[in-house]
Amino acid sequence: MKSEQVLVKKVNLTKKQKELIERIGIFMEQQGLPPAVARICGLLMVSDRLELTFEEIYSTLNISKSAASNAINLLLNSHKIEYITKPGDRKRYFKVCIDQWEKMLKERLQGFSSYISLVEEIHNQRTKSTKTFNASLKDAVGFIKFMSKEFPLLYEKWQKSKK
Amino acid sequence: MKSEQVLVKKVNLTKKQKELIERIGIFMEQQGLPPAVARICGLLMVSDRLELTFEEIYSTLNISKSAASNAINLLLNSHKIEYITKPGDRKRYFKVCIDQWEKMLKERLQGFSSYISLVEEIHNQRTKSTKTFNASLKDAVGFIKFMSKEFPLLYEKWQKSKK
DNA sequence: GTTTTGGTTCTTCTCTAACAGAACTAAAAA
DNA sequence: TTTTTAGTTCTGTTAGAGAAGAACCAAAAC
């Protein structure tokens, strides 16, 4: 009476790694990503092997295939992960895009300038009688404009400082 | 047969103002605030009078008293709005904190540096064998550190440029 | 052809954020 | 004292996000 052998290819993780995955997960959830998505990113960031298969991902994280599939596609679409293939192997090997963090950071800085037109419009539409308030709004616009002009320069400066 | 007179003190708003409130609302929702909260902020930003009462707020926006109450308290706690009172008047007059936008923007820039310790920890915990990836992580840490050093300087620079 | 693999898609379920409405309250007005 | 005002708190309700599980599918292996 052989018991059914269910072999799941989980990735071996230390306690520390598991803990770190959770912390990355929480962090990324705060950036607006769903839990499963966040933890997949975490796993791909901390695991010793950088390229993991679909099965390794969902079985290691104990999430369903469907959850994994949707999450992975979301991450692929937003270019946070990518995959490679190997000759004579049907599987895809998923890994985080190497510049993911840098991209996230840059995005965050730029998303910033989306404020401009809105605040500007509020300023233009306002009654002229609220001088102080309007001045403060105008100031905000100035600040954003200043920043979005300086960021690229700062980025360049950093690039140079690396060399 | 007099019909019950329900007088609601709505704030008069132009079509343009209403439209702008919605746009501000959507924008702030994307920053993670609930719809009602976002639209209250919007209203207080665009209305000709900067200081509105509780009743004016909930009746103008067609939201319930409870929704308004909770939203207003949330905004008060996060110092996005404040209120003034007038002698011989029990009402509170709510208004956006004049530096709200600047604060939001600064917060956003700073929230940024919370990345450091996490990415650093990921880097430290990683196996040493994945050289390229680890180098890229280290690079990210460098970028964040660089940025959080430069921001205050940039802010100062802006302050000066205003004078 | 049949089976297995590597996923995808569909349906269902659950949980909670967000709000409404009504009951409540404390202070002020009458 | 009673009533009104300016909110607050409590109790549902509802819609949607997120995930599970099963059915499904296409390509490859057998």
Side-chain angles (χ1 to χ4, degrees):
Chain A
M1 200 165 80
K2 243 191 323 186
S3 67
E4 193 90 13
Q5 188 83 11
V6 185
L7 65 126
V8 274
K9 283 202 235 153
K10 290 200 190 200
V11 174
N12 285 328
L13 293 172
T14 66
K15 200 173 173 184
K16 214 172 175 182
Q17 282 175 317
K18 286 180 195 168
E19 200 187 289
L20 205 42
I21 291 174
E22 290 310 311
R23 289 188 42 211
I24 298 172
I26 289 169
F27 184 85
M28 299 190 73
E29 277 181 57
Q30 286 163 357
Q31 315 298 311
L33 294 166
V37 174
R39 272 175 298 135
I40 290 178
C41 267
L43 172 59
L44 293 176
M45 297 283 302
V46 306
S47 92
D48 286 352
R49 249 184 321 118
L50 288 173
E51 292 144 11
L52 303 181
T53 66
F54 186 79
E55 192 187 359
E56 285 173 326
I57 292 172
Y58 78 73
S59 65
T60 304
L61 293 176
N62 297 311
I63 60 179
S64 66
K65 282 173 80 173
S66 57
S69 176
N70 291 322
I72 285 174
N73 286 324
L74 189 144
L75 288 168
L76 286 173
N77 289 331
S78 55
H79 303 116
K80 289 192 174 32
I81 68 172
E82 57 191 345
Y83 64 88
I84 55 162
T85 50
K86 299 180 181 186
D89 187 345
R90 200 138 63 88
K91 297 183 203 97
R92 291 184 285 173
Y93 291 80
F94 301 96
K95 59 173 179 171
V96 295
C97 293
I98 197 141
D99 58 349
Q100 192 219 151
W101 287 91
E102 222 174 294
K103 262 195 317 203
M104 264 178 77
L105 299 170
K106 274 183 74 179
E107 257 170 45
R108 196 184 170 83
L109 291 181
Q110 276 156 3
F112 196 80
S113 57
S114 61
Y115 288 75
I116 297 182
S117 63
L118 188 56
V119 185
E120 225 161 14
E121 216 167 322
I122 297 171
H123 177 261
N124 294 337
Q125 164 279 332
R126 283 209 60 77
T127 173
K128 298 306 167 214
S129 59
T130 53
K131 305 263 188 206
T132 321
F133 186 76
N134 296 16
S136 156
L137 270 186
K138 204 170 180 180
D139 222 43
V141 175
F143 180 55
I144 305 166
K145 281 189 174 165
F146 175 81
M147 284 302 180
S148 35
K149 188 161 47 94
E150 293 288 334
F151 281 148
L153 275 66
L154 212 50
Y155 191 70
E156 263 176 51
K157 190 175 161 188
W158 178 67
Q159 295 283 24
K160 267 183 206 163
S161 78
K162 279 203 296 184
K163 293 173 207 164
Chain B
M1 201 167 80
K2 242 191 323 185
S3 67
E4 193 91 11
Q5 187 84 11
V6 185
L7 65 126
V8 274
K9 282 203 234 153
K10 292 203 187 195
V11 174
N12 285 327
L13 293 173
T14 67
K15 200 172 173 185
K16 215 173 177 183
Q17 282 175 317
K18 285 180 194 168
E19 200 187 290
L20 206 41
I21 290 175
E22 290 311 309
R23 289 186 45 208
I24 299 172
I26 290 169
F27 184 84
M28 299 190 74
E29 277 180 59
Q30 285 164 356
Q31 315 299 309
L33 293 167
V37 174
R39 272 176 298 137
I40 290 178
C41 267
L43 173 58
L44 293 176
M45 297 282 301
V46 305
S47 92
D48 287 351
R49 250 184 321 117
L50 288 173
E51 292 145 11
L52 302 181
T53 65
F54 186 79
E55 193 188 357
E56 285 174 326
I57 292 171
Y58 77 74
S59 64
T60 304
L61 293 175
N62 297 312
I63 59 179
S64 67
K65 286 173 79 174
S66 57
S69 176
N70 291 323
I72 285 173
N73 286 323
L74 189 144
L75 288 168
L76 285 173
N77 289 330
S78 54
H79 303 117
K80 289 192 174 36
I81 67 172
E82 59 191 344
Y83 64 86
I84 56 161
T85 50
K86 299 180 180 184
D89 187 345
R90 200 135 66 86
K91 297 183 202 96
R92 291 184 285 172
Y93 291 81
F94 300 97
K95 57 172 181 172
V96 296
C97 294
I98 197 141
D99 58 349
Q100 193 217 151
W101 287 90
E102 222 175 295
K103 262 195 318 203
M104 264 178 78
L105 300 170
K106 274 184 73 179
E107 256 169 46
R108 196 183 170 84
L109 291 181
Q110 276 156 4
F112 195 81
S113 57
S114 62
Y115 287 76
I116 298 182
S117 63
L118 189 56
V119 184
E120 226 162 12
E121 216 167 323
I122 296 171
H123 178 261
N124 294 336
Q125 164 279 333
R126 284 208 59 79
T127 173
K128 299 306 166 211
S129 60
T130 53
K131 306 266 188 201
T132 321
F133 186 76
N134 296 17
S136 154
L137 270 185
K138 205 171 179 179
D139 221 43
V141 175
F143 180 56
I144 305 166
K145 282 190 174 166
F146 175 81
M147 284 301 180
S148 36
K149 190 161 46 94
E150 294 287 337
F151 281 149
L153 274 65
L154 213 50
Y155 192 70
E156 263 176 54
K157 189 175 163 189
W158 179 67
Q159 295 282 21
K160 268 184 206 163
S161 79
K162 278 202 297 181
K163 293 173 208 165

